[in-house]
Amino acid sequence: EAAVTQSPRNKVTVTGGNVTLSCRQTNSHNYMYWYRQDTGHGLRLIHYSYGAGNLQIGDVPDGYKATRTTQEDFFLLLELASPSQTSLYFCASSPGQGRDTGQLYFGEGSKLTVL
Amino acid sequence: QQQVRQSPQSLTVWEGETTILNCSYEDSTFDYFPWYRQFPGKSPALLIAISLVSNKKEDGRFTIFFNKREKKLSLHITDSQPGDSATYFCAARRGTNAYKVIFGKGTHLHVLP
């Protein structure tokens, strides 16, 4: 069974605060993704990566940085958090080979509240 | 700009009915279309998927019909059960640009007993 672990699971910060969301996968997958989920918007892609040191820009990247330090670890950074970034964040990994590249394995989510 | 569109936003059916969820897209570089199901408070999980080489994909009570010419897909759930109540997301993988995977806004399904 694919395993994707996110931390923290819940985070409260203030406007202007610095937040790092962590994601680790033990599936030996090449691809990792960060999405945010908001009511009425579904899942929106922030950043993704196909390997250590690689970063691809998603559809809603403003205000977010990301870094893939190893094949296993993908971090999402909010350096000046704003209330509009209050959301549920999901990390996912994917095999990256053939048609199954589209199959994502999700972590349990990180709920971020920016006051 | 919504690259993957889903309809309806919300749907209520009776137990035993067939549910039809719709999805459309415009980008011709999309080549793989997974559907995910998300129960309240849980993470999305893959339900069924189809690629460009197929017109239909079946898995138990779940079937995807794919009209490539019109760039439309539909997910049919036969004999709908209360346990099927969830949000269903249609997604699309771009075959270029490092395999970007984009989701629609989802359809919230409620199956009444």
Side-chain angles (χ1 to χ4, degrees):
Chain A
E1 177 84 14
V4 181
T5 304
Q6 294 184 230
S7 64
R9 296 290 310 281
N10 282 284
K11 175 75 176 178
V12 179
T13 189
V14 296
T15 299
N18 204 319
V19 176
T20 297
L21 302 181
S22 302
C23 179
R24 166 164 284 197
Q25 56 101 359
T26 58
N27 313 315
S28 300
H29 286 169
N30 292 327
Y31 282 80
M32 295 185 74
Y33 302 79
W34 277 108
Y35 292 90
R36 60 178 288 175
Q37 184 172 27
D38 306 285
T39 302
H41 291 278
L43 290 151
R44 292 183 289 176
L45 181 62
I46 305 171
H47 291 297
Y48 62 113
S49 166
Y50 58 73
N54 175 263
L55 181 66
Q56 301 291 319
I57 306 301
D59 294 326
V60 289
D62 292 347
Y64 301 97
K65 292 184 179 179
T67 180
R68 180 90 176 269
T69 55
T70 65
Q71 186 181 34
E72 294 79 19
D73 298 303
F74 195 29
F75 300 93
L76 187 67
L77 297 83
L78 293 74
E79 293 185 332
L80 288 171
S82 72
S84 65
Q85 294 176 306
T86 293
S87 187
L88 178 59
Y89 291 86
F90 282 106
C91 175
S93 72
S94 185
Q97 294 183 4
R99 64 187 179 101
D100 290 336
T101 301
Q103 181 172 341
L104 302 181
Y105 296 85
F106 283 85
E108 294 184 331
S110 295
K111 184 177 179 182
L112 174 66
T113 302
V114 183
L115 301 174
Chain B
Q1 180 183 0
Q2 190 67 21
Q3 299 177 61
V4 176
R5 292 186 174 85
Q6 289 188 249
S7 64
Q9 279 188 295
S10 182
L11 181 62
T12 299
V13 301
W14 292 102
E15 182 176 357
E17 291 185 335
T18 295
T19 297
I20 300 176
L21 309 179
N22 300 302
C23 179
S24 65
Y25 66 97
E26 295 182 1
D27 192 329
S28 297
T29 65
F30 290 152
D31 66 351
Y32 182 66
F33 303 88
W35 286 77
Y36 287 81
R37 180 174 62 185
Q38 184 179 31
F39 294 109
K42 300 296 185 182
S43 307
L46 181 69
L47 180 62
I48 187 172
I50 194 166
S51 68
L52 277 179
V53 302
S54 303
N55 297 316
K56 179 181 175 181
K57 180 71 176 293
E58 205 166 346
D59 185 356
R61 296 186 294 112
F62 301 91
T63 302
I64 300 173
F65 293 92
F66 190 8
N67 183 328
K68 280 170 270 191
R69 184 178 59 83
E70 295 188 8
K71 296 188 176 70
K72 292 182 177 178
L73 303 94
S74 59
L75 175 66
H76 293 228
I77 308 173
T78 58
D79 188 25
S80 299
Q81 300 295 309
D84 295 330
S85 297
T87 300
Y88 291 77
F89 292 101
C90 174
R93 181 193 74 177
R94 186 167 285 154
T96 58
N97 193 19
Y99 295 149
K100 187 176 181 180
V101 179
I102 299 163
F103 285 73
K105 293 185 178 182
T107 295
H108 179 67
L109 174 64
H110 192 193
V111 182
L112 298 173

